[in-house]
Structures are given as structure tokens and as C-alpha cells.
């Protein structure tokens, strides 16, 4: 179509886009008017407002009012990119990194902060103690009871030299947070001399990494009055610890004088993340806190109390109207049951209980804090943007009448659009829109369009739903973790349940049966007719027992790259008497999410399968795994792979949780723990492609070709953050996209690898053979419906070795590309023979259909 000149032309060209956006048709003319004149007039109606810390912005309406569906606004796209190009663009496009850092509030002036710290007067430990002694005297105390010596670089010797126990026997609270204390013996020796100590903080000292558990036991034994240790309640907690959390006791009131009912005026009590195991305590009682109305017990195991016991205690507080608790958690996994037991509550986790009862939601939480990027001082500006962009980026995929683009385009809206914060009940709708002024895709200009879905008044905040159209059936609550700090303990619990389930799985290996498959050679010696759509088979299947035919219905053997289903059989005239190179239900092997599921059903969590999650169904379990690894300071690098895409299309490597969750938006994926320390060949990453021939599933008859081939990355391996955007550093498939393919003959690779690593390749090879056998055993055991007497097939099996030379299964490929096998004559691993490339399909067909075993070995 020629250039768009009228409204009718606009609707004709953009009809599908308009419908997909959800924009009310009555606003189409208004949108056309603004697009035609490139009118971005949001500034006349809205204002961006910064928060106190200048890290989060919001968008406010400045016009007097705005009725529902009354107008539409264009939002410019400040940055559009394909994911592999993001880092390069930020480094090379003038002004882009500066604008994105400002828009995402990550352009923090670290140096200025450091200068301010230098200007501030630094007091010595002795000066701080002298100041505290004077302060205590001014407050009327005859001795020092509360002392905070935090972040002062105190080491073991300097702690001893202070002689604190001999001078200040009446300490109630001592904080040594953020120092450099290393010796548990020194800590125990000094601290246990304080017999009246109620609270001790040693957080962020090296000593906790060495002997925390034993030290905690000895300190609690030596300090019988201790109620708080490293911010956690001890089993001995009582009125003092509760009073500290209720803002009754502190530096101004150490609580050293006996008081009758000191907590009687406490109305709000925050006990979150105190490692409380038992809430049934004489201090936590209505007699002590009769006015308690708000209670926060999030982040506590409370594992020494039953749900019933906890309800009994909480029901005694007549004024308790607001409760914050993990759901699922110590009060169960059902918000409705909590409200049934505690009927006086008006707020549960910040949500009106009437609304909970109305909606019937079981798990609720309105107190989610946003994820605010916390840049490492060592991070560059580009690093900070690459981490923060997942809180802002949105995506779409281009398509025309012929095909869908293989990879998505990500974009960041301009400052106005990016200031729209999330709401489950938004008052604006936002959608991407491609305006094609010439009527063709190549002229497209990308915008977002936004319009009010509710009526607003001046000063109202404008919001959108970050997960518009996504409900709990698509894991909405878990996916909000991309933007918000969701309850980690819930996800960790889901992960632990999943782990227990996997550990309970274990099948016995199938016996290696003798071959039952027989040659299908004609008794009269006439050739077998083969139909194929694969040029390699057509060119290289040259032995006289097989003849290529162009008619599928006439063939004895169908060797095709397309899925043969009942519809295709009927259309082409294929019968059940013809042999075919695919097994029923082979998706359990060749689709990545099904492969992991098949292996896990058969073997649970074998060491040769990296932890793998289907993000479409196992997002909560994955988040739990991620949280556990983060908590335990383990490597958290993951690779995301589309279910059914080849050649690493839409595949990414990241340790960013928000990124992992957001990339679900570009299509169904698995998330697999990245092998961060692979075996290397001359400093480069590699994987191994094996060809497996399958004659039968029941009994299992599989063979391995003598030749495998190694696939090498082009760049030296690196774990440097920016390298994850470099395809030729972390990926090995180079025979597409115009990349340089460095072919390495099998035998030559084996010899050089053995020499480089001082290993015997045959030992590795035997492990690989066993892993491949177990993969197909898992399929045979869990999917016996795969068996078909008329199926014979080959599969590509990709394996990687870790730095300990242990094999890890990567994927199984249907109808693998065998170009290298056909193109190159290769020496066998033992160096005793040559396998001619031109004979590859001759011996493959000989094994599958003529009961031969030349150049293959049974598994």
C-alpha cells in the first residue's frame, strides 16, 4: 500500500495492531491525529515526581480531571534493542548510557558520597566511649549500659585492649557490628563476663563465617540473660526483647530498672525476621500488651508451635486488628482460614480483609517492596543499567505476512512512560504500537500508547499493570518477583518440597538386551525405496540396497525433517506399513522442557543433568532455588533456553533474577543452571555432538556411531559480566549466521585434549556412553508408548564436560544436522581406522534397516 493519507488508510493498515492494543475504537481517530502530527503532549497533562531518595519516580495527573477513555497519549521509546546488542549499544551510542542511567536512577555519584564521608570527623573508639559515658550520666544513669561500636575496624587485639568487662559490668546492650573481629575465643572470653547482657550484635564480622554455631552456644551459656543475639531472638527472650522491638527499650531507655508492665502501652510490634521458633511465651501475652493492635511476625519459622497454638495465643488480644504473616507460613497456607480463626482482623498483610473474603484469595500480600537496584561500587555505569533495565524494559516481536521474527525487540519507554508504577488495579493501559506511515513494515516507528481506564482527578498517581492479562493461572504472584521483593520463605519452601520429590525418584537400569530388530531387506533382493526431504540423505545414501523415490506413498522408508501426524498421513497417502524416522511421543526427548521432565521422572536429579526448571510451571520452585543459592553465597548463573528453538535462538545467560523472570515474556523457556566451570580446550569452551541410532524402545536397542564431533566456541572462555552478551564466547554452534566454523577432527581433538589435561579419553567416553544410555532408558521407562515396530530414528545428543571431566547432558535433537559427518573423512578415536564422510548415511541405514553394526557400537 502507498503512503497513508487518510484515517481510513490508517485503520486498514493498522487494524490488527489497533485490535491487539486494546485501545477503544472511539480513540482511533485521536490516535491517528497524534501520530500523523507526531504529537507527544503528555507533558501538558502529567508530571514526573521524584521520591525522597530520588530512586523511584511516579507519574501524577496535573490537569483538573481526566475521564475514563477520554484521550490517548503517545509515549516515545528512548531505547530499542535486541538483547545480544544491549551492552554494545550502551557503550557505543552517544548519550544513551547517560540517559538510561538517569532514567533508571542508577547514576549514583559514588565519588561525591566518598568525599562527604572523608569530610566528616572520625572519632576514635575511646572518644566514642567517653561521649557515651557522658550521655548516660546526662540521662541519669550511674553507669554505661548501652554501647554501639560499629564499623570502627576493631580487631581481636583492640577488643581485648578496651577492657570493657572490667570497666562496664552493667552492660545491657553491646553492638560491634561491621568490625574485623576474627577470633571466637576472644569474643567468648570478653562477652561472657557481662552477666546482665540482654542484646549482643556481632553482625558483619569475619568471626561469624568461621565458627558461628559453636560460638552462639557458648555465649548463650555464659550470658544467661541474653535475649537478642545478632538481631535474632534467643530461646530465652522475654519482655526486654519484645520491648526493644516495640520501641520501649533502647539507648534512651536501656530497661535496666524494673518496671511493672513495661509493654502495657505497646500498640504496634514488629517481630519480623527475628528467627523466633516459639511464640507461646509468658512475655508475649495479652496481660503484658493489652493494647496491641498491629503485629508483624513475618520471616519467623515458629516451628515449635502448632497452627492451633498460635491461633489460641493471637485470639486473646482483643485489639489486634492488623497482622502481617508469611502465607504460606506458620499460620498455614490459606488466608481465608486465617481470617476465619482471627475474625477481628481488618487488615491481613496490608490488605482489607473484606476484599480478601470477597475475592477468595488464598495467598495475599500488599506490602511488597519494590526491587531497587543496589549497584556494586565496582560496577560501571553500563553494568548498573544492564542490571536495572529489567525493571523498565518491555518487548514486542515483529511479524509480516510471511514469518515471525526469531528474536524479540526490547524497549524502554521515555521518562514519562517509565514513571508509571505498577498497580493490580491500574488506572491506565499501555501497549506498544508500530506506526507505518508508508503502509509497510520497513517504515515503522515504534511508540507506546497510553489511555485512562478509569476516571482520574488532579494529583492522582497514574499506574499501569506490569503483568496486564496475566493471572494466577500463569503464575502472576511469582512473576511479580521481577519487580518486587516477594516473600522468599514461600519460594524456598516450594523448592524444598520439589527437591524432596526429586530425591524420591530412582528407576533401576534396564537390561541390555540382545537385538530383536531384524533386517527388512527384501527376500527377492529388490531395493528398499526411500523418500527423503533431506539433501544430505539424497546425496550420500548411495548403497544399492536403497533407492531414492520422489513419492512418499511408494516408499518403504520415510526419512523426513517434518513431523508426520495423522493429518499429513491422510493428505499424502502414508500408511502404517511404512517405516519412518521418528518415534511416537519422541517430544519427551527432543523438546527441552520434556527432556528434563523425562529424566527427572526416571532418575530424579542425576548428577549429569544440571538443575532445570520449566518456567511455565515451575517458576516458584526456581525462585526458591535461586534464593537458597543467594543465601548460601553459591554461584547463581543460569542459562535460559526456549522449549523448541534450535541454534541457540532466544537463549540467554544471566545471574539476574528479574531478567530470568522477564524473559519468560518472549516465549516458553527452561531455566538451567549454567555450567560456569566447563572443561576447556586450549582456553575455549566446547561441547560434543554424538549421533544415537534407535532401533527399538521396548526392548531398548540403541547404538552410538564411532564418530562424534567437537563444537568449539571462537573466543576464549570468560566469566566477565559483559562476555555473556558475546555469542562466540559462550556458545559453540557456529555453522549458522555467517560465523567462522573451526572444524576439529575427532581423533586430533582427543589426542590434544588428553595431552592438555593429562587424562585418558576412553575413561571420559565410557561415562558419556553411560549417560546417553540412561537418557534413553528414562524415556523408555516413563514413556513406553514411544515403542513402535515401524520406527527407526537417529538423534543428536549434545554433551558438555565440566572442569572435573564429568559429562552433563545438554539436549537431544531430532533429525540432527549431519553435515560434518558427511563432509569430513574422520579417523576413529582409537586411531585404527578411517570413517569416510560419504559413507555416513550408508552405515546409518545399514544399522537401522539391515541389522548391520559397521562403525557403530551398541549402548
Amino acid at each position: 500500500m502507498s503512503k497513508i493519507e487518510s484515517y481510513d488508510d490508517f485503520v486498514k493498515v493498522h487494524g490488527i495492531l489497533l485490535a491487539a492494543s486494546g485501545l477503544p475504537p472511539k480513540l482511533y481517530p485521536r490516535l491517528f491525529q497524534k501520530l500523523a502530527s507526531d504529537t507527544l503532549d503528555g507533558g501538558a497533562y502529567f508530571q514526573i515526581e521524584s521520591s525522597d531518595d530520588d530512586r523511584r519516580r511516579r507519574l501524577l495527573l496535573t490537569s483538573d480531571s481526566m475521564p475514563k477513555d477520554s484521550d490517548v497519549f503517545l509515549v516515545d521509546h528512548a531505547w530499542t534493542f535486541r538483547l545480544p546488542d544491549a551492552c554494545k549499544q550502551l557503550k557505543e551510542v552517544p548519550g544513551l548510557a547517560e540517559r538510561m542511567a538517569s532514567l533508571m536512577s542508577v547514576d549514583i555519584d559514588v565519588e561525591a558520597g566518598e568525599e562527604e564521608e572523608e569530610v566528616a570527623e572520625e572519632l576514635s573508639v575511646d572518644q566514642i566511649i567517653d561521649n557515651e559515658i557522658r550521655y548516660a550520666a546526662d540521662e541519669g544513669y550511674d553507669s554505661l549500659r548501652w554501647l554501639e561500636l560499629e564499623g570502627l575496624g576493631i580487631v581481636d587485639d583492640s577488643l581485648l585492649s578496651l577492657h570493657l568487662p572490667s570497666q562496664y559490668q552493667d552492660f545491657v546492650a553491646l553492638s560491634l557490628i561491621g568490625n574485623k573481629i576474627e577470633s571466637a575465643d576472644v569474643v567468648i572470653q570478653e562477652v561472657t563476663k557481662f552477666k546482665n547482657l540482654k542484646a549482643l550484635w556481632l553482625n558483619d564480622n569475619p568471626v561469624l563465617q568461621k565458627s558461628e554455631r559453636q560460638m552462639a552456644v557458648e555465649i548463650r551459656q555464659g550470658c544467661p540473660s541474653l535475649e537478642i543475639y545478632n538481631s535474632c531472638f534467643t530461646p530465652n527472650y522475654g519482655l526486654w526483647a519484645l520491648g526493644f522491638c516495640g520501641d520501649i527499650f533502647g539507648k534512651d531507655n536501656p530497661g535496666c530498672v524494673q518496671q511493672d508492665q513495661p509493654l502495657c502501652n505497646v500498640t504496634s510490634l514488629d517481630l519480623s525476621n527475628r528467627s523466633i521458633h516459639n511464640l507461646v511465651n509468658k512475655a508475649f501475652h495479652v496481660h503484658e500488651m493489652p493494647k496491641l493492635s498491629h503485629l508483624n511476625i513475618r520471616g519467623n519459622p515458629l516451628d515449635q508451635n502448632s497452627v492451633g497454638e498460635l491461633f489460641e495465643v493471637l485470639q486473646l488480644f482483643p485489639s489486634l486488628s492488623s497482622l502481617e504473616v508469611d502465607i504460606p507460613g506458620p499460620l498455614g497456607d490459606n488466608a481465608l482460614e486465617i481470617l476465619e480463626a482471627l475474625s477481628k482482623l481488618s487488615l491481613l498483610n496490608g490488605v482489607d480483609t473484606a476484599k480478601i473474603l470477597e475475592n477468595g484469595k488464598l495467598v495475599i500480600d500488599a506490602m511488597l517492596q519494590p526491587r531497587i537496584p543496589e549497584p556494586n561500587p565496582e560496577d560501571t555505569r553500563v553494568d548498573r543499567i544492564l542490571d536495572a533495565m529489567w525493571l523498565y524494559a518491555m518487548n514486542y516481536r515483529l511479524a509480516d505476512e510471511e514469518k515471525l521474527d526469531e528474536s524479540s525487540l526490547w524497549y524502554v519507554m521515555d521518562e514519562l512512560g517509565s514513571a508509571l508504577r505498577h498497580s493490580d488495579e491500574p488506572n491506565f493501559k499501555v501497549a506498544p504500537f508500530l506506526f507505518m506511515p508508508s503502509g509497510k513494515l520497513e517504515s515503522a516507528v515504534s511508540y507506546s500508547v497510553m489511555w485512562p481506564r478509569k476516571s482520574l482527578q488532579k494529583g492522582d498517581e497514574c499506574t499501569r499493570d506490569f503483568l496486564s492479562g496475566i493471572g494466577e493461572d500463569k503464575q502472576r504472584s511469582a512473576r511479580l518477583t521481577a519487580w518486587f521483593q516477594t516473600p522468599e520463605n514461600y519460594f524456598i519452601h516450594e523448592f524444598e518440597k520439589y527437591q524432596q520429590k526429586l530425591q524420591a525418584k530412582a528407576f533401576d537400569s534396564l537390561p541390555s538386551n540382545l537385538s530383536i530388530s531384524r533386517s527388512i531387506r527384501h527376500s527377492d533382493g529388490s531395493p528398499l525405496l526411500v523418500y527423503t526431504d533431506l539433501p544430505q540423505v539424497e546425496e550420500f545414501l548411495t548403497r544399492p540396497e536403497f533407492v531414492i523415490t520422489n513419492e512418499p506413498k511408494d516408499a518403504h522408508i520415510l526419512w523426513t525433517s517434518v513431523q508426520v501426524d495423522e493429518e499429513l498421513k491422510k493428505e499424502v497417502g502414508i500408511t502404517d506399513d511404512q517405516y519412518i524416522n521418528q518415534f511416537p511421543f519422541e517430544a519427551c526427548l527432543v523438546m527441552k522442557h520434556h527432556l528434563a521432565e523425562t529424566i527427572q521422572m526416571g532418575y530424579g536429579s542425576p548428577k549429569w543433568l544440571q538443575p532445570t526448571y520449566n518456567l511455565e510451571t515451575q517458576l516458584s520452585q526456581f525462585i526458591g532455588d535461586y534464593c537458597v543459592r543467594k543465601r548460601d553465597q553459591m554461584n547463581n548463573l543460569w542459562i535460559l533456553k526456549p522449549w523448541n528453538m534450535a541454534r541457540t535462538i532466544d537463549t540467554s545467560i544471566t545471574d539476574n533474577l528479574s531478567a530470568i523472570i522477564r524473559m519468560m515474556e518472549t516465549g516458553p523457556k527452561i531455566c538451567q543452571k549454567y555450567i560456569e566451570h566447563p572443561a576447556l580446550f586450549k582456553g575455549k569452551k566446547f561441547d560434543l555432538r554424538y549421533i544415537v541410532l534407535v532401533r527399538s524402545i521396548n526392548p531398548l536397542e540403541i547404538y552410538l556411531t564411532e564418530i562424534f564431533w567437537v563444537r568449539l566456541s571462537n573466543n576464549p572462555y570468560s566469566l566477565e559480566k559483559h562476555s555473556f552478551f558475546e555469542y562466540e564466547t559462550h556458545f559453540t554452534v557456529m555453522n549458522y549466521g555467517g560465523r567462522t566454523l573451526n572444524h576439529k577432527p575427532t581423533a586430533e581433538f582427543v589426542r590434544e585434549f588428553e595431552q592438555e589435561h593429562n587424562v585418558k579419553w576412553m575413561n571420559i567416553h565410557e561415562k558419556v556412553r553411560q549417560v546417553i544410555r540412561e537418557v534413553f532408558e528414562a524415556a523408555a521407562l516413563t514413556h513406553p508408548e514411544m515403542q513402535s515396530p515401524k520406527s527407526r530414528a537417529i538423534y543428536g545428543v549434545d554433551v558438555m564436560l565440566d572442569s572435573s571431566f564429568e559429562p552433563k547432558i545438554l539436549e537431544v535433537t531430532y533429525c540432527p544436522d549431519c553435515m560434518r559427518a558427511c563432509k569430513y573423512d574422520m579417523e576413529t578415536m582409537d586411531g585404527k581406522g578411517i570413517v569416510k564422510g560419504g559413507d555416513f548415511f550408508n552405515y546409518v541405514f545399514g544399522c537401522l534397516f539391515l541389522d548391520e553394526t559397521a562403525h557403530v557400537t551398541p549402548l
Side-chain angles (χ1 to χ4, degrees):
M1 182 174 178
S2 59
K3 182 179 178 181
I4 293 175
E5 296 181 351
S6 68
Y7 171 69
D8 290 340
D9 291 342
F10 169 72
V11 173
K12 185 175 181 180
V13 169
H14 299 88
I16 295 176
L17 289 168
L18 288 165
S21 72
L23 184 71
K26 71 176 185 179
L27 291 177
Y28 290 1
R30 181 71 167 151
L31 176 61
F32 172 62
Q33 177 188 0
K34 291 191 176 185
L35 285 167
S37 57
D38 194 25
T39 300
L40 285 86
D41 56 349
Y45 298 84
F46 308 100
Q47 177 181 329
I48 301 169
E49 182 182 82
S50 297
S51 61
D52 293 338
D53 61 6
D54 202 33
R55 299 294 302 279
R56 294 168 54 210
R57 298 184 177 94
R58 59 181 189 154
L59 192 66
L60 302 181
L61 184 70
T62 54
S63 58
D64 290 337
S65 65
M66 185 172 289
K68 174 183 176 181
D69 296 338
S70 59
D71 204 347
V72 61
F73 300 92
L74 295 181
V75 178
D76 198 12
H77 290 175
W79 181 28
T80 301
F81 58 95
R82 296 189 192 274
L83 201 50
D85 303 326
C87 183
K88 188 171 185 285
Q89 288 184 11
L90 287 168
K91 289 179 177 180
E92 296 180 1
V93 176
L96 177 62
E98 289 80 359
R99 183 179 183 186
M100 289 299 103
S102 174
L103 183 150
M104 298 175 188
S105 301
V106 295
D107 206 1
I108 300 167
D109 193 345
V110 177
E111 293 180 3
E114 289 173 350
E115 289 173 7
E116 288 173 15
E117 288 179 13
E118 290 172 6
V119 172
E121 181 183 357
E122 291 188 7
L123 298 177
S124 69
V125 175
D126 289 335
Q127 288 173 318
I128 291 173
I129 293 175
D130 289 342
N131 288 345
E132 293 302 316
I133 291 172
R134 285 194 294 271
Y135 178 82
D138 291 343
E139 292 295 312
Y141 298 110
D142 57 1
S143 62
L144 184 60
R145 311 292 177 91
W146 191 290
L147 182 60
E148 298 175 7
L149 300 175
E150 300 179 354
L152 297 172
I154 297 172
V155 298
D156 299 331
D157 289 343
S158 54
L159 178 61
L160 288 169
S161 69
L162 292 174
H163 303 295
L164 294 176
S166 62
Q167 299 186 65
Y168 314 106
Q169 299 92 341
D170 296 328
F171 269 168
V172 172
L174 174 62
S175 175
L176 296 167
I177 291 173
N179 285 294
K180 299 178 180 180
I181 302 166
E182 296 188 25
S183 171
D185 291 337
V186 168
V187 172
I188 294 166
Q189 172 188 320
E190 294 296 284
V191 167
T192 54
K193 295 174 183 176
F194 299 113
K195 299 305 178 183
N196 298 318
L197 197 65
K198 296 286 189 182
L200 173 65
W201 291 276
L202 296 167
N203 312 55
D204 299 327
N205 276 281
V207 67
L208 296 182
Q209 298 175 6
K210 297 179 179 179
S211 51
E212 179 178 13
R213 186 169 297 178
Q214 184 58 35
M215 185 172 66
V217 171
E218 295 193 35
I219 288 175
R220 289 204 300 265
Q221 289 174 347
C223 300
S225 299
L226 196 68
E227 298 188 26
I228 295 178
Y229 175 67
N230 292 344
S231 306
C232 299
F233 279 19
T234 71
N236 192 45
Y237 83 89
L239 289 175
W240 193 93
L242 295 172
F244 173 78
C245 294
D247 294 328
I248 300 298
F249 300 134
K251 181 180 176 180
D252 295 337
N253 177 21
C256 48
V257 179
Q258 289 295 326
Q259 297 173 253
D260 185 34
Q261 282 193 297
L263 312 186
C264 62
N265 291 317
V266 170
T267 58
S268 179
L269 186 60
D270 184 356
L271 300 180
S272 59
N273 301 307
R274 293 289 177 181
S275 295
I276 302 171
H277 295 269
N278 181 9
L279 198 62
V280 182
N281 177 298
K282 63 182 180 181
F284 187 82
H285 197 277
V286 65
H287 295 312
E288 300 292 347
M289 298 178 288
K291 298 179 181 179
L292 184 65
S293 61
H294 173 82
L295 175 65
N296 185 348
I297 53 174
R298 293 175 187 265
N300 294 293
L302 299 177
D303 47 3
Q304 295 178 14
N305 304 129
S306 68
V307 174
E309 287 173 331
L310 293 171
F311 280 144
E312 284 181 20
V313 171
L314 296 176
Q315 286 166 349
L316 295 175
F317 291 90
S319 302
L320 187 62
S321 60
S322 173
L323 176 66
E324 294 183 47
V325 63
D326 297 322
I327 306 175
L331 295 183
D333 57 5
N334 188 319
L336 298 179
E337 291 178 2
I338 293 174
L339 294 182
E340 185 178 341
L342 303 173
S343 57
K344 295 179 183 178
L345 289 180
S346 58
L347 289 175
L348 178 59
N349 290 351
V351 179
D352 190 315
T353 55
K355 187 172 289 187
I356 298 170
L357 294 169
E358 178 185 340
N359 297 333
K361 296 183 79 172
L362 303 183
V363 180
I364 52 93
D365 204 324
M367 308 301 290
L368 299 180
Q369 295 300 310
R371 286 188 181 276
I372 296 177
E374 299 177 3
N376 186 319
E378 297 177 2
D379 286 347
T380 65
R381 174 186 280 148
V382 170
D383 291 329
R384 298 198 295 264
I385 295 167
L386 292 172
D387 277 338
M389 69 185 189
W390 300 104
L391 307 178
Y392 297 88
M394 302 166 75
N395 65 85
Y396 58 84
R397 186 170 290 188
L398 296 173
D400 56 24
E401 294 87 349
E402 297 180 2
K403 67 171 185 175
L404 181 69
D405 200 351
E406 288 181 336
S407 62
S408 296
L409 283 165
W410 290 85
Y411 63 93
V412 175
M413 292 188 290
D414 65 14
E415 285 75 6
L416 186 144
S418 292
L420 286 161
R421 296 198 298 184
H422 170 76
S423 172
D424 287 337
E425 298 178 351
N427 46 31
F428 272 82
K429 177 77 183 291
V430 179
F433 191 85
L434 289 180
F435 178 48
M436 296 176 280
S438 75
K440 295 183 179 179
L441 188 59
E442 54 263 29
S443 69
V445 181
S446 66
Y447 297 94
S448 287
V449 292
M450 58 177 275
W451 67 97
R453 297 298 294 129
K454 296 180 179 179
S455 295
L456 294 89
Q457 299 299 317
K458 184 175 183 177
D460 286 350
E461 180 178 358
C462 306
T463 59
R464 67 180 180 92
D465 185 351
F466 288 176
L467 290 170
S468 181
I470 295 175
E472 286 305 325
D473 58 327
K474 295 182 180 178
Q475 309 177 99
R476 178 183 176 88
S477 293
R479 290 174 74 161
L480 282 171
T481 303
W483 296 277
F484 297 97
Q485 302 283 357
T486 49
E488 289 188 0
N489 70 304
Y490 166 75
F491 296 113
I492 291 173
H493 180 61
E494 291 297 300
F495 165 65
E496 289 171 344
K497 287 195 299 183
Y498 173 67
Q499 283 290 92
Q500 291 169 4
K501 183 179 176 182
L502 286 183
Q503 290 165 5
K505 303 271 187 179
F507 278 126
D508 293 328
S509 294
L510 291 172
S512 297
N513 293 302
L514 296 174
S515 172
I516 64 163
S517 300
R518 295 290 175 258
S519 169
I520 66 170
R521 192 192 309 262
H522 291 155
S523 57
D524 62 2
S526 60
L528 294 164
L529 299 181
V530 177
Y531 170 80
T532 183
D533 57 4
L534 293 167
Q536 292 166 357
V537 177
E538 194 169 351
E539 180 180 355
F540 293 105
L541 182 59
T542 58
R543 55 189 299 174
E545 295 94 333
F546 303 95
V547 173
I548 302 295
T549 177
N550 293 324
E551 282 295 334
K553 65 179 185 297
D554 296 337
H556 301 107
I557 300 167
L558 296 167
W559 197 274
T560 175
S561 60
V562 300
Q563 183 70 38
V564 177
D565 54 20
E566 292 303 317
E567 186 177 338
L568 184 62
K569 282 184 178 181
K570 188 180 295 185
E571 181 183 334
V572 178
I574 298 170
T575 71
D576 291 337
D577 293 327
Q578 294 170 286
Y579 285 86
I580 189 167
N581 68 325
Q582 47 196 252
F583 279 82
F585 302 99
E586 66 186 4
C588 74
L589 285 169
V590 301
M591 293 188 74
K592 296 179 186 71
H593 63 306
H594 288 322
L595 173 64
E597 182 182 66
T598 297
I599 294 169
Q600 289 161 351
M601 286 172 63
Y603 294 103
S605 185
K607 66 180 183 180
W608 43 265
L609 176 71
Q610 290 289 92
T612 305
Y613 299 90
N614 177 359
L615 293 181
E616 293 298 301
T617 58
Q618 297 175 316
L619 180 59
S620 292
Q621 292 83 351
F622 161 70
I623 295 173
D625 191 345
Y626 185 98
C627 291
V628 167
R629 289 173 183 275
K630 183 178 179 182
R631 179 195 69 195
D632 297 343
Q633 298 183 320
M634 298 169 65
N635 180 276
N636 233 337
L637 197 57
W638 298 81
I639 183 167
L640 288 96
K641 307 175 184 178
W643 281 359
N644 198 27
M645 289 277 235
R647 311 196 311 273
T648 63
I649 294 168
D650 201 18
T651 300
S652 302
I653 301 162
T654 184
D655 61 0
N656 185 313
L657 179 58
S658 295
I660 292 168
I661 298 171
R662 295 297 313 282
M663 281 191 269
M664 293 173 63
E665 297 169 24
T666 64
K669 291 180 178 64
I670 63 165
C671 186
Q672 190 170 70
K673 184 65 190 68
Y674 192 58
I675 304 169
E676 69 272 14
H677 297 299
L680 302 178
F681 181 69
K682 297 182 179 180
K684 296 179 180 180
K685 185 176 175 180
F686 68 90
D687 64 21
L688 308 167
R689 164 61 65 89
Y690 291 85
I691 299 297
V692 178
L693 286 63
V694 182
R695 285 185 184 174
S696 167
I697 292 294
N698 185 19
L700 187 60
E701 285 184 57
I702 53 178
Y703 296 80
L704 197 63
T705 60
E706 284 185 347
I707 296 299
F708 66 88
W709 53 93
V710 60
R711 303 186 299 187
L712 290 159
S713 64
N714 286 341
N715 297 340
Y717 183 69
S718 171
L719 284 175
E720 195 274 324
K721 200 167 188 176
H722 293 179
S723 76
F724 301 139
F725 292 90
E726 298 170 1
Y727 182 94
E728 298 191 20
T729 299
H730 288 273
F731 298 102
T732 60
V733 180
M734 300 296 166
N735 48 327
Y736 301 96
R739 296 184 175 91
T740 302
L741 170 62
N742 295 312
H743 173 66
K744 191 74 176 174
T746 301
E748 185 180 321
F749 165 78
V750 168
R751 285 192 292 269
E752 293 180 17
F753 189 86
E754 286 183 329
Q755 185 175 8
E756 179 181 353
H757 294 287
N758 193 27
V759 294
K760 293 293 184 184
W761 184 262
M762 286 309 298
N763 295 337
I764 297 172
H765 185 63
E766 282 306 310
K767 292 180 182 179
V768 172
R769 285 171 53 87
Q770 182 60 32
V771 166
I772 293 175
R773 167 82 189 180
E774 290 180 5
V775 168
F776 284 87
E777 280 185 357
L781 287 162
T782 59
H783 294 282
E785 64 273 18
M786 279 186 69
Q787 172 58 17
S788 168
K790 294 294 184 179
S791 294
R792 310 281 171 92
I794 69 171
Y795 298 93
V797 179
D798 296 337
V799 173
M800 184 172 288
L801 304 179
D802 67 15
S803 57
S804 300
F805 311 112
E806 293 294 329
K808 306 283 186 178
I809 193 75
L810 298 182
E811 64 179 290
V812 177
T813 305
Y814 162 72
C815 200
D817 181 353
C818 296
M819 178 274 292
R820 291 200 217 190
C822 297
K823 184 176 180 180
Y824 299 104
D825 295 344
M826 288 199 232
E827 186 181 355
T828 57
M829 273 190 301
D830 57 15
K832 295 180 180 178
I834 299 290
V835 179
K836 290 191 172 295
D839 283 337
F840 176 76
F841 278 108
N842 286 336
Y843 68 75
V844 165
F845 273 66
C847 175
L848 291 177
F849 301 107
L850 303 181
D851 199 21
E852 298 174 353
T853 56
H855 302 305
V856 300
T857 56
L859 285 178

